[in-house]
Amino acid sequence: MPVVKLSFSAVLTESFGFFFANLRPFFHLVTIPWIASLAIRLTGNALNQESIYAVLAEKALDVVPTVMFMVGWQRLVLLGPNRVERLPGLGWSPRETAYLMHLIKVGGITFVLITAFILTTGTVDYGMLKPGAAIDPEMARRQAMAAPLGAGFMVSVLLALRVSWGLAATAVDVPFSPRLSWTYGRGNAWTIIGVLFLTFFASAIATTLVTFFTLGVMSGVLGAEEAAAVVTWTVALLVSYAGAAVAATVQAVIFRTLLAWREGAALPATT
């Protein structure tokens, strides 16, 4: 198998360029998943605002509209607008099922570890962070127990980033697995990890900034209270989906570049 060297800057440039050149298709594909994610958030908030279990269940359920959007968007990147087929959110097919199973293989351990970490540490008492504050022995014990989980989570994140680009293959019905992502990505491991980490990190920062800005405008300037949370979630979720679109584009670009992929062609040999 010939070794293809990925260019960090080229992958980022192509991915961001594709996203901003296709904002109209983005809004077309994201509308229903965006509304579904907002409905999940509103329902979770109405049922229980403080339960850790409710928050985790909400995050798990939100994977469904996210998968529908990611499949549609990566098909747009790799096959063009005429091959997206069904509008994301209007149905669930074996393709989405295969994508979800692939996603669980990639990030399942990461989700389990972060869940265990959150359940172990519980909520954070910010008063303990003040200088001279008394240390709660129970909190210290829980933090000590959670330390290995935190370390494992960080390792699992790096491994998940390393093999996540293979999700693009499943979106275009190419049988793939994390093992194949690992094999085909040899020689480009840190480039793959770096470009995806930077993309997800930038998305998280943008979402956080937009959240605080929108909440500040709604509460401080317009004086809205109950509506502030709804508007803030609506805007923040849209920005989050935009970040997911860029990350999905990066994965698709990596898949196409490493394998010189084109529809109907066999994958290169792994040896």
Coordinates of all heavy atoms in Angstrom, one line a residue, residues 20-60:
F20 N -17.7 26.6 4.0 CA -18.2 28.0 3.7 C -18.7 28.2 2.3 O -19.5 29.1 2.1 CB -17.1 29.0 4.1 CG -16.9 29.2 5.6 CD1 -15.7 28.7 6.2 CD2 -17.8 29.8 6.3 CE1 -15.5 28.8 7.5 CE2 -17.6 30.0 7.7 CZ -16.5 29.5 8.3
A21 N -18.3 27.3 1.4 CA -18.8 27.4 0.0 C -20.1 26.7 -0.1 O -20.8 26.8 -1.2 CB -17.8 26.8 -0.9
N22 N -20.5 26.0 0.9 CA -21.8 25.2 0.8 C -22.7 25.5 2.0 O -23.3 24.6 2.6 CB -21.5 23.7 0.8 CG -20.8 23.3 -0.5 OD1 -21.5 23.0 -1.5 ND2 -19.5 23.3 -0.6
L23 N -22.8 26.8 2.4 CA -23.7 27.1 3.5 C -25.1 26.9 3.2 O -25.9 26.5 4.1 CB -23.5 28.6 3.9 CG -22.1 29.0 4.5 CD1 -22.0 30.5 4.8 CD2 -22.0 28.2 5.9
R24 N -25.5 27.1 2.0 CA -26.9 26.9 1.6 C -27.3 25.4 1.8 O -28.3 25.1 2.4 CB -27.2 27.3 0.2 CG -28.7 27.3 -0.2 CD -28.9 28.0 -1.5 NE -30.3 28.0 -1.9 CZ -30.7 28.6 -3.0 NH1 -29.9 29.2 -3.8 NH2 -32.0 28.5 -3.3
P25 N -26.5 24.4 1.2 CA -26.8 23.0 1.5 C -26.7 22.7 3.0 O -27.5 21.8 3.5 CB -25.8 22.3 0.7 CG -25.3 23.2 -0.3 CD -25.4 24.6 0.3
F26 N -25.8 23.3 3.7 CA -25.7 23.1 5.1 C -27.1 23.3 5.8 O -27.6 22.5 6.6 CB -24.6 23.9 5.8 CG -24.7 23.9 7.3 CD1 -24.3 22.8 8.0 CD2 -25.1 25.1 7.9 CE1 -24.3 22.8 9.4 CE2 -25.1 25.1 9.3 CZ -24.8 24.0 10.1
F27 N -27.6 24.5 5.6 CA -28.9 24.9 6.3 C -30.0 23.9 5.8 O -30.9 23.6 6.6 CB -29.2 26.3 6.0 CG -28.5 27.3 6.8 CD1 -27.4 28.0 6.3 CD2 -28.8 27.5 8.2 CE1 -26.7 28.9 7.1 CE2 -28.1 28.4 9.0 CZ -27.0 29.1 8.5
H28 N -29.9 23.5 4.6 CA -30.9 22.6 4.1 C -30.9 21.2 4.8 O -31.9 20.6 5.2 CB -30.8 22.4 2.5 CG -31.7 21.4 1.9 ND1 -33.1 21.6 1.9 CD2 -31.5 20.1 1.4 CE1 -33.6 20.5 1.3 NE2 -32.7 19.6 1.0
L29 N -29.7 20.7 5.0 CA -29.5 19.4 5.6 C -29.6 19.4 7.1 O -30.0 18.4 7.7 CB -28.1 18.8 5.2 CG -27.8 18.5 3.8 CD1 -26.4 18.0 3.6 CD2 -28.8 17.5 3.3
V30 N -29.3 20.6 7.8 CA -29.3 20.6 9.2 C -30.6 20.9 9.9 O -30.8 20.7 11.1 CB -28.2 21.6 9.7 CG1 -28.8 23.1 9.6 CG2 -27.7 21.3 11.1
T31 N -31.6 21.4 9.1 CA -32.8 21.9 9.7 C -33.5 21.0 10.6 O -33.8 21.3 11.8 CB -33.7 22.4 8.6 OG1 -33.1 23.4 7.8 CG2 -35.0 23.0 9.2
I32 N -33.8 19.8 10.1 CA -34.6 18.8 10.9 C -33.7 18.3 12.1 O -34.2 18.2 13.2 CB -35.1 17.7 10.0 CG1 -36.1 18.3 9.0 CG2 -35.8 16.6 10.9 CD1 -36.6 17.2 8.0
P33 N -32.5 17.8 11.9 CA -31.7 17.4 13.0 C -31.5 18.5 14.1 O -31.5 18.3 15.3 CB -30.3 17.0 12.4 CG -30.7 16.6 11.0 CD -31.8 17.6 10.6
W34 N -31.4 19.8 13.6 CA -31.2 20.9 14.5 C -32.5 21.0 15.4 O -32.4 21.2 16.6 CB -31.0 22.1 13.7 CG -30.9 23.5 14.4 CD1 -30.5 23.7 15.7 CD2 -31.2 24.7 13.8 NE1 -30.5 25.0 16.0 CE2 -30.9 25.7 14.8 CE3 -31.6 25.2 12.6 CZ2 -31.1 27.1 14.6 CZ3 -31.7 26.5 12.3 CH2 -31.5 27.5 13.4
I35 N -33.7 21.0 14.8 CA -34.9 21.1 15.5 C -35.1 19.9 16.5 O -35.5 20.0 17.6 CB -36.1 21.1 14.5 CG1 -36.1 22.4 13.7 CG2 -37.4 21.0 15.3 CD1 -37.1 22.5 12.6
A36 N -34.7 18.7 16.0 CA -34.8 17.5 16.9 C -33.9 17.6 18.1 O -34.3 17.3 19.2 CB -34.4 16.3 16.1
S37 N -32.7 18.1 17.9 CA -31.7 18.3 19.0 C -32.3 19.4 20.0 O -32.2 19.2 21.2 CB -30.4 18.8 18.5 OG -29.7 17.8 17.8
L38 N -32.9 20.4 19.5 CA -33.5 21.4 20.3 C -34.6 20.9 21.1 O -34.8 21.1 22.3 CB -34.0 22.6 19.5 CG -34.6 23.8 20.3 CD1 -33.6 24.4 21.3 CD2 -35.1 24.9 19.3
A39 N -35.5 20.0 20.5 CA -36.6 19.4 21.2 C -36.1 18.5 22.3 O -36.7 18.4 23.4 CB -37.4 18.6 20.2
I40 N -35.0 17.7 22.0 CA -34.4 16.9 23.1 C -33.9 17.7 24.2 O -34.2 17.4 25.4 CB -33.3 16.0 22.5 CG1 -33.8 15.0 21.5 CG2 -32.5 15.3 23.5 CD1 -32.8 14.3 20.6
R41 N -33.3 18.8 24.0 CA -32.7 19.7 25.0 C -33.9 20.3 25.8 O -33.8 20.3 27.1 CB -31.9 20.8 24.4 CG -31.3 21.8 25.4 CD -30.3 21.2 26.3 NE -29.3 20.6 25.6 CZ -28.2 21.2 25.1 NH1 -28.1 22.5 25.4 NH2 -27.2 20.6 24.5
L42 N -34.9 20.7 25.2 CA -36.1 21.3 25.9 C -36.8 20.3 26.8 O -37.2 20.6 27.9 CB -37.0 22.0 24.9 CG -36.5 23.2 24.2 CD1 -37.5 23.6 23.1 CD2 -36.2 24.4 25.1
T43 N -37.0 19.1 26.2 CA -37.6 18.0 26.9 C -36.8 17.6 28.1 O -37.4 17.5 29.3 CB -37.9 16.8 26.0 OG1 -38.6 17.2 24.9 CG2 -38.6 15.7 26.8
G44 N -35.5 17.5 28.0 CA -34.7 17.1 29.1 C -34.7 18.1 30.2 O -34.7 17.8 31.4
N45 N -34.7 19.4 29.8 CA -34.7 20.5 30.8 C -36.0 20.5 31.5 O -36.1 20.8 32.7 CB -34.4 21.8 30.1 CG -34.4 23.0 31.0 OD1 -33.4 23.1 31.8 ND2 -35.4 23.8 31.1
A46 N -37.1 20.2 30.8 CA -38.4 20.3 31.4 C -38.6 19.1 32.4 O -39.2 19.3 33.5 CB -39.5 20.2 30.4
L47 N -38.0 18.0 32.1 CA -38.2 16.8 32.9 C -37.4 16.8 34.2 O -37.8 16.6 35.3 CB -37.9 15.5 32.1 CG -38.9 15.2 31.0 CD1 -38.4 13.9 30.3 CD2 -40.3 15.0 31.5
N48 N -36.1 17.2 34.0 CA -35.2 17.2 35.2 C -34.0 18.1 34.8 O -33.2 17.8 33.9 CB -34.8 15.8 35.6 CG -34.2 15.8 37.0 OD1 -33.5 16.7 37.4 ND2 -34.4 14.7 37.6
Q49 N -33.8 19.2 35.6 CA -32.8 20.1 35.2 C -31.5 19.8 35.9 O -30.4 20.4 35.6 CB -33.2 21.5 35.6 CG -34.5 22.0 34.9 CD -34.8 23.4 35.3 OE1 -34.0 24.2 35.8 NE2 -36.1 23.8 35.0
E50 N -31.5 18.9 36.9 CA -30.3 18.8 37.8 C -29.7 17.3 37.8 O -28.6 17.1 38.2 CB -30.6 19.2 39.2 CG -30.9 20.6 39.3 CD -31.2 21.0 40.8 OE1 -31.1 20.1 41.7 OE2 -31.4 22.2 41.0
S51 N -30.5 16.4 37.3 CA -30.1 15.0 37.4 C -28.9 14.7 36.4 O -29.0 15.0 35.2 CB -31.2 14.0 37.1 OG -30.8 12.7 36.9
I52 N -27.9 14.1 36.9 CA -26.7 13.8 36.0 C -27.2 12.7 35.0 O -26.8 12.7 33.8 CB -25.5 13.3 36.8 CG1 -25.0 14.4 37.7 CG2 -24.5 12.7 36.0 CD1 -23.8 14.0 38.6
Y53 N -28.0 11.8 35.5 CA -28.5 10.7 34.6 C -29.3 11.2 33.5 O -29.2 10.8 32.3 CB -29.3 9.7 35.4 CG -28.5 9.0 36.5 CD1 -28.6 9.4 37.8 CD2 -27.7 7.9 36.1 CE1 -27.8 8.7 38.8 CE2 -27.0 7.2 37.1 CZ -27.0 7.6 38.4 OH -26.3 7.0 39.4
A54 N -30.1 12.3 33.8 CA -30.9 12.9 32.7 C -30.1 13.6 31.7 O -30.3 13.5 30.5 CB -31.9 13.9 33.3
V55 N -29.0 14.2 32.1 CA -28.1 14.9 31.2 C -27.4 13.9 30.3 O -27.3 14.1 29.1 CB -27.0 15.7 32.0 CG1 -26.0 16.2 31.0 CG2 -27.7 16.8 32.7
L56 N -26.9 12.8 30.9 CA -26.3 11.7 30.1 C -27.2 11.1 29.1 O -26.8 10.8 27.9 CB -25.7 10.7 31.0 CG -24.5 11.1 31.9 CD1 -24.1 10.0 32.9 CD2 -23.3 11.5 31.1
A57 N -28.5 10.8 29.5 CA -29.5 10.3 28.6 C -29.8 11.2 27.5 O -29.9 10.8 26.3 CB -30.7 10.0 29.4
E58 N -29.8 12.5 27.8 CA -30.0 13.5 26.8 C -28.9 13.5 25.7 O -29.2 13.6 24.5 CB -30.1 14.9 27.4 CG -30.3 16.1 26.5 CD -30.2 17.4 27.2 OE1 -30.8 17.6 28.2 OE2 -29.4 18.3 26.7
K59 N -27.7 13.4 26.2 CA -26.5 13.4 25.3 C -26.6 12.2 24.4 O -26.3 12.2 23.2 CB -25.2 13.5 26.1 CG -25.0 14.7 26.9 CD -25.0 15.9 26.0 CE -24.7 17.2 26.8 NZ -24.7 18.4 25.9
A60 N -26.9 11.0 25.0 CA -27.0 9.8 24.2 C -28.1 9.8 23.2 O -27.9 9.4 22.0 CB -27.2 8.6 25.2

